[in-house]
Each structure stands twice: as structure tokens, then as C-alpha cells.
């Protein structure tokens, strides 16, 4: 199989080819925007220089042309009898000199009737100035060659038709002098522009040196060094960026510290059931009585269940925390169907403990709105709330799951359990925190998971007393989202 051609190296976008270039290189971006005006203005400066040079040369040679016209005028005599003309001889250009000019003279009536001189000189046009007694200039052609013409109108004997006296000169010397001026101006620019590029390059290199030093300082840090960068050592233009960088590093340090605390606490919490499992296993291995052996196995199974539950909750908590940083797909969710599904799963457990588990819907004359969220996370949040209510409700108690339809749908989970003291209602959402005075088994992670998922979905959580008596009431208010249907 033939080798595939090497991939072309991507080119850095330039301001000359892309109206919105991506700033892949700060150095290149600044260099582009500094050189772009120079390179764009240069052709304009050439055009302006050429026009100025033409005007200067015309001013110089027009004075000479006026002298030629004066000699022609001196040979024209207007009398009552007519017009007498004695014109200077025409001067043809030297055949061996490309920069020599030819001079031509003509006397004619303003309407174009030739009196004397060069017949090919063009007559006046409609837009030409026709003031008597004053010298004017215009451009024309003789046998296809451009010429500069000076002319003057003289009154005729009968004042009916003015007499036109013209002196013309080819433009060879004018072109030569113009080219010399342009060359004298532009040739130094060919040396100045590369020099300017080099100086700009050196200036940028010098100006961006603090960025290089800052890069080296950051690169030379230890991996665990998250301390802020001293802003006094940073250029003023970079201080807002480095300040934001310091804030990000502080947040990262806080997150890492929280993770370390969480890992330490999780390890401590897992150590207890694992130690119990090890002890029960060692006792079971030494036990010969079948009934006692069965009791040890039951305890081992209960310990495995607790360890599995804690591990499952740790994974759910990690997933909920990660959802804050990784964008999870939000979908339309039928809240009523979801709550009913999760509640039904707890019916066997409620029956086992003789707990009356009820599900209610308060429609308030409107359909239940759908919500937007991550279905698996919302199901986990509802699961933990119902599990928590059943766990802390004594045998024979009541747990009610209630949905209230409104512009902002509300989920209430009400129990007749031990209740939560007011001073502990904020702390119960902390990881591994458990309400004092209860012997119910738990890891202290369930409500921490609830808070994480609620924050992700912008759900407001309120805790109150059961209005019907003892116990607690958890009220979750969802944000206003979607109309029913789907």
C-alpha cells in the first residue's frame, strides 16, 4: 500500500486572508496588525507620490511652455486688414534621444479653421476655458502621441471669431523627470520596509519577553504548587488574566482539598464494615455449630449489603458532583411518571415494616408540568428521599409522597418519623453526617446526594415539620419549565 502523503502543516491565519483570525499566536497576531497598515498604505503612498510628482513636473515645464507660447504670440499681428502670422519653426525631437521633446505651434480661429502652423493640433472642446487674453493649459494628442498644450485666445478684427494661438510640447522629458522623482522616493522605501519589519520583530520580541518569563515561572512549579502568582511581578496588561488564573487555582485547591477530605472520610466509613466483615468471617471459619454459623453468615450478608450500599452511594455522589463540571444532556421528563415509578419500588420494603406508603397528586385544576433534567439523577434524588423517610419512620408509621401541579411543580415527602431538629436541618446535607439520637443504619451520604442533584437542576429544598404531627416534611420546588405532554 503506498504511503499516504504527509499531512500539510496547518497555517496560522492571517489578517490578510481571514476577517476574523483566530489568535493562535499572540506574537503573530500583533505582528500582522502592525505590518498590515504599513503594507496596505504603501500602494496608496506610491499613487499619491506619482500624482504629486506629475504636478511638480508640470509646473516646471509649463513655465517653459509659456515661453514657447510667448514667442508664438509675438509673431501674431491682428490688424483691421486681417491677421499676420510669423511663427517660430517647429522643433522635432532628436531621433537618437528618447527624452527629447518636439514643439508645435498653431494659429487658428477658435472654431477650428487653420490660419498657420501645425494642422494636427486639436481644436478647443466644449469644456475648455475660453477667456480672452489669458494663458490656459490642456492635454491632447498629436498623431497618437500625448502632448501638453498652452493656448491663448486673441480678439479678431471683427470681434466675431476669436483667434486661437497654441504652443504644444510632447511629454518625454516630463515622463523622464517624473520617473526619476518616483525612483528617488521609492528606492529608499524598499530598504526602509524590511528594516521596519526587523525593528518591529525585535520590538515585539522584547515586549513579549515578560510573557516568556511568566511561562517559565509557571512551568518550573512543582505539580502540587497551587499558590497564587504575585501580581506585582506581572505586567499591568496581564494582571486581570493572572488574577483570574489565581482565582481558578484557588478553586482547584479547594476542590482538591475537598476530594482529599472526602476520600479520607470514605475510607474511614468503609473501614468499619470491612473490619466487621473480616471479624465475622474469621469467627465463621472457626465455628462448628451449624446454627451459629448461619448467624455469622447472616451478619456477613448484612455487612456486605451495608458496604455495597455505601459504595453505591459514593459512586452516585461522585456522578452528581461530576455533572456540575460535565454538561449532561437535559431531556423532557414526565415528573408524575418518574415519582410514581420510584415510589412503587419501595412498596415491598414499606409492607415489610408495616409502613403506610402513599402517593398523592394535587392537580390544582391544571395538568402536571413536565420538567427538564437528567432522568437517572432525578430518580436517584427521589430514591434517596423516600429511602430516608422509610428508614427513620418507626414500624406502623406513614410515609406520603405528594406531587403538586403548579407553574413550578412541587414534590413533598412527608413521614411520621423522628423528625429533624431545626438546628440540624442544614447539617444533614453534609457528607457522612447523621442525626444524633437514632440507631437507624445509614452512611450519611443520601441527603448529600440529594443536595448535589438538586443544585444541578436548580431545585429549591425546604425542610419542615409534618403538619399532621411528628415527623418531617421535605418540599422540593422545581423551576418553571415545560408544559405537560410529550
Amino acid at each position: 500500500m503506498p504511503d499516504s502523503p504527509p499531512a500539510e502543516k496547518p497555517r496560522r491565519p492571517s489578517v490578510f486572508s481571514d476577517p476574523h483570525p483566530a489568535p493562535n499566536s499572540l506574537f503573530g497576531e500583533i505582528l500582522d496588525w502592525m505590518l498590515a497598515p504599513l503594507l496596505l498604505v504603501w500602494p496608496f503612498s506610491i499613487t499619491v507620490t506619482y500624482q504629486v510628482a506629475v504636478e511638480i513636473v508640470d509646473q516646471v515645464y509649463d513655465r517653459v511652455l509659456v515661453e514657447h507660447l510667448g514667442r508664438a504670440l509675438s509673431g501674431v499681428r491682428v490688424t483691421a486688414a486681417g491677421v499676420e502670422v510669423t511663427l517660430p519653426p517647429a522643433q522635432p525631437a532628436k531621433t537618437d534621444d528618447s527624452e527629447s521633446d518636439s514643439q508645435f505651434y498653431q494659429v487658428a480661429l477658435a472654431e477650428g479653421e487653420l490660419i498657420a502652423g501645425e494642422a494636427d493640433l486639436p481644436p478647443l472642446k466644449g469644456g475648455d476655458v475660453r477667456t480672452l487674453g489669458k494663458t490656459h493649459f490642456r492635454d491632447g494628442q498629436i498623431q497618437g502621441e500625448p502632448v501638453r498644450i498652452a493656448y491663448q485666445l486673441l480678439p479678431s478684427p471683427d470681434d466675431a471669431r476669436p483667434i486661437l494661438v497654441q504652443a504644444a510640447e510632447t511629454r518625454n522629458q516630463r515622463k523622464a523627470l517624473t520617473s526619476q522623482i518616483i525612483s528617488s522616493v521609492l528606492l529608499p522605501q524598499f530598504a526602509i520596509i524590511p528594516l521596519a519589519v526587523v525593528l518591529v520583530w525585535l520590538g515585539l520580541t522584547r515586549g513579549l519577553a515578560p510573557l516568556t518569563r511568566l511561562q517559565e515561572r509557571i512551568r518550573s512549579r512543582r505539580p502540587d504548587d497551587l499558590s497564587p502568582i504575585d501580581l506585582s511581578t506581572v505586567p499591568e496588561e496581564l494582571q486581570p488574566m493572572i488574577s483570574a488564573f489565581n482565582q481558578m487555582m484557588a478553586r482547584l485547591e479547594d476542590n482538591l482539598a475537598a476530594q482529599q477530605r472526602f476520600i479520607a472520610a470514605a475510607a474511614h466509613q468503609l473501614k468499619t464494615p470491612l473490619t466487621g466483615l473480616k471479624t465475622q468471617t474469621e469467627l465463621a471459619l472457626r465455628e462448628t455449630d451449624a446454627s451459629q454459623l448461619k448467624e455469622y453468615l447472616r451478619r456477613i450478608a448484612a455487612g456486605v449489603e451495608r458496604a455495597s450500599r455505601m459504595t453505591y452511594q459514593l459512586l452516585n455522589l461522585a456522578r452528581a458532583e461530576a455533572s456540575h463540571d460535565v454538561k449532561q444532556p437535559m431531556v423532557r421528563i414526565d415528573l408524575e411518571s418518574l415519582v410514581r415509578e420510584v415510589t412503587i419500588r419501595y412498596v415491598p420494603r414499606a409492607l415489610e415494616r408495616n409502613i403506610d406508603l402513599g402517593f398523592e397528586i394535587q392537580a390544582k385544576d391544571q395538568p402536571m408540568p413536565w420538567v427538564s433534567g437528567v432522568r437517572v439523577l432525578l430518580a436517584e434524588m427521589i430514591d434517596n428521599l423516600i429511602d430516608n423517610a422509610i428508614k427513620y419512620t418507626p414500624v406502623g408509621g406513614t410515609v406520603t409522597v405528594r406531587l403538586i401541579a403548579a407553574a413550578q411543580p412541587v414534590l413533598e415527602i412527608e413521614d411520621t418519623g423522628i423528625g429533624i431538629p431545626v438546628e440540624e436541618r442544614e447539617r444533614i446535607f453534609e457528607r457522612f453526617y447523621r442525626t444524633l439520637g437514632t440507631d437507624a443504619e445509614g452512611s450519611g451520604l443520601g441527603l448529600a446526594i440529594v443536595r448535589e442533584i438538586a443544585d444541578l437542576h436548580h431545585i429549591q429544598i425546604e425542610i419542615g415539620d409534618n403538619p399532621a404531627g411528628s415527623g418531617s416534611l421535605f418540599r422540593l420546588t422545581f423551576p418553571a419549565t415545560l408544559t405537560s405532554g410529550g
Side-chain angles (χ1 to χ4, degrees):
M1 183 177 180
D3 296 337
S4 58
E8 183 179 355
K9 183 178 180 181
R11 299 176 60 187
R12 178 178 59 81
S14 169
V15 293
F16 302 112
S17 59
D18 187 354
H20 302 289
N24 295 329
S25 167
L26 184 60
F27 184 91
E29 192 76 6
I30 297 176
L31 187 64
D32 273 351
W33 285 107
M34 291 186 70
L35 296 182
L38 177 63
L39 297 180
L40 292 175
V41 169
W42 190 38
F44 177 74
S45 69
I46 293 176
T47 303
V48 173
T49 302
Y50 175 78
Q51 295 296 332
V52 171
V54 169
E55 291 180 4
I56 293 174
V57 170
D58 278 346
Q59 289 177 5
V60 173
Y61 281 92
D62 282 352
R63 294 192 185 99
V64 178
L65 190 57
V66 169
E67 294 177 2
H68 295 326
L69 179 62
R71 286 196 293 271
L73 288 171
S74 64
V76 177
R77 293 181 61 193
V78 180
T79 64
V83 179
E84 298 180 1
V85 179
T86 304
L87 292 177
Q91 300 291 329
K94 297 179 182 179
T95 57
D96 59 346
D97 188 355
S98 61
E99 294 184 2
S100 63
D101 285 319
S102 300
Q103 288 84 35
F104 307 94
Y105 303 95
Q106 183 194 75
V107 177
L109 296 178
E111 286 74 13
E113 181 181 341
L114 181 66
I115 298 177
E118 177 62 47
D120 290 335
L121 271 174
L124 293 179
K125 298 179 181 179
D128 293 333
V129 181
R130 295 173 180 261
T131 306
L132 294 176
K134 291 187 178 181
T135 300
H136 304 289
F137 298 92
R138 62 193 179 97
D139 294 317
Q141 287 189 343
I142 296 180
Q143 299 176 356
E145 185 175 3
V147 293
R148 180 73 167 169
I149 302 172
Y151 67 94
Q152 190 173 127
L153 289 172
L154 303 177
S156 63
D158 56 3
D159 291 331
R161 296 187 296 173
I163 298 172
L164 173 65
V165 181
Q166 300 188 95
E169 184 178 55
T170 56
R171 303 186 69 100
N172 294 331
Q173 292 184 356
R174 296 172 187 249
K175 290 180 180 179
L177 183 56
T178 300
S179 298
Q180 184 177 357
I181 293 174
I182 295 294
S183 300
S184 301
V185 173
L186 295 184
L187 283 178
Q189 291 186 12
F190 283 103
I192 291 174
I193 289 179
L195 179 60
V197 172
V198 172
L199 292 177
V200 169
W201 183 282
L202 294 176
L204 279 177
T205 303
R206 177 76 174 178
L208 295 177
L211 280 178
T212 304
R213 291 194 295 269
L214 181 60
Q215 173 188 346
E216 293 300 325
R217 286 173 54 194
I218 296 176
R219 183 177 294 172
S220 62
R221 284 188 165 205
R222 300 188 312 274
D224 59 342
D225 185 3
L226 301 179
S227 60
I229 298 174
D230 185 5
L231 293 181
S232 63
T233 62
V234 176
E236 181 179 353
E237 293 76 9
L238 294 178
Q239 288 183 4
M241 183 185 71
I242 298 302
S243 177
F245 178 79
N246 286 341
Q247 294 174 8
M248 181 188 70
M249 296 298 285
R251 293 193 299 269
L252 178 59
E253 188 173 23
D254 291 341
N255 289 337
L256 289 176
Q259 289 181 13
Q260 290 173 356
R261 291 193 301 268
F262 176 72
I263 292 172
H268 175 74
Q269 293 293 326
L270 286 173
K271 180 179 179 181
T272 301
L274 291 177
T275 301
L277 284 174
K278 180 180 179 182
T279 302
Q280 296 296 331
T281 303
E282 291 175 349
L283 291 173
L285 289 173
R286 294 197 298 266
E287 186 58 56
T288 57
D289 183 14
S291 61
Q292 187 63 37
L293 179 60
K294 185 177 181 179
E295 176 62 22
Y296 287 145
L297 292 177
R298 187 190 63 77
R299 294 177 184 176
I300 290 173
V304 170
E305 177 65 24
R306 288 194 298 272
S308 297
R309 176 65 177 170
M310 180 175 294
T311 303
Y312 175 76
Q313 288 189 318
L314 286 171
L315 291 175
N316 283 334
L317 181 59
R319 179 171 59 184
E321 288 179 332
S323 297
H324 285 278
D325 303 320
V326 180
K327 185 67 175 177
Q328 296 289 323
M330 296 285 182
V331 298
R332 288 169 54 94
I333 298 173
D334 184 350
L335 184 60
E336 178 182 341
S337 174
L338 179 62
V339 175
R340 188 188 300 274
E341 175 187 325
V342 177
T343 304
I344 290 174
R345 291 206 299 260
Y346 278 89
V347 170
R349 183 175 166 190
L351 291 175
E352 182 183 343
R353 299 193 59 197
N354 194 26
I355 291 177
D356 180 11
L357 176 60
F359 178 70
E360 298 178 0
I361 296 179
Q362 295 182 3
K364 289 189 176 180
D365 299 328
Q366 63 178 346
M368 181 66 63
W370 287 42
V371 297
S372 177
V374 183
R375 183 180 179 86
V376 65
L377 294 180
L378 289 178
E380 180 65 23
M381 178 185 70
I382 300 167
D383 184 282
N384 278 282
L385 287 170
I386 298 177
D387 175 75
N388 196 68
I390 293 177
K391 182 187 302 179
Y392 290 99
T393 297
V395 175
T398 301
V399 173
T400 303
V401 179
R402 183 181 301 110
L403 265 177
I404 303 174
Q408 291 184 266
V410 176
L411 170 63
E412 293 183 346
I413 298 178
E414 183 181 275
D415 64 65
T416 57
I418 62 174
I420 304 173
V422 176
E423 62 274 10
E424 294 189 37
R425 289 178 182 174
E426 280 300 319
R427 298 202 59 193
I428 61 173
F429 293 106
E430 297 177 6
R431 299 166 184 175
F432 306 113
Y433 181 83
R434 299 183 61 198
T435 304
L436 298 177
T438 176
D439 57 355
E441 295 182 353
S443 62
L445 290 174
L447 292 180
I449 295 173
V450 169
R451 171 57 63 85
E452 289 288 343
I453 298 174
D455 289 346
L456 176 65
H457 291 81
H458 307 289
I459 298 171
Q460 181 182 355
I461 302 178
E462 299 174 86
I463 303 175
D465 297 324
N466 186 340
S470 63
S472 302
L473 173 65
F474 281 77
R475 178 180 290 111
L476 281 70
T477 304
F478 289 75
T481 50
L482 309 171
T483 58
S484 62

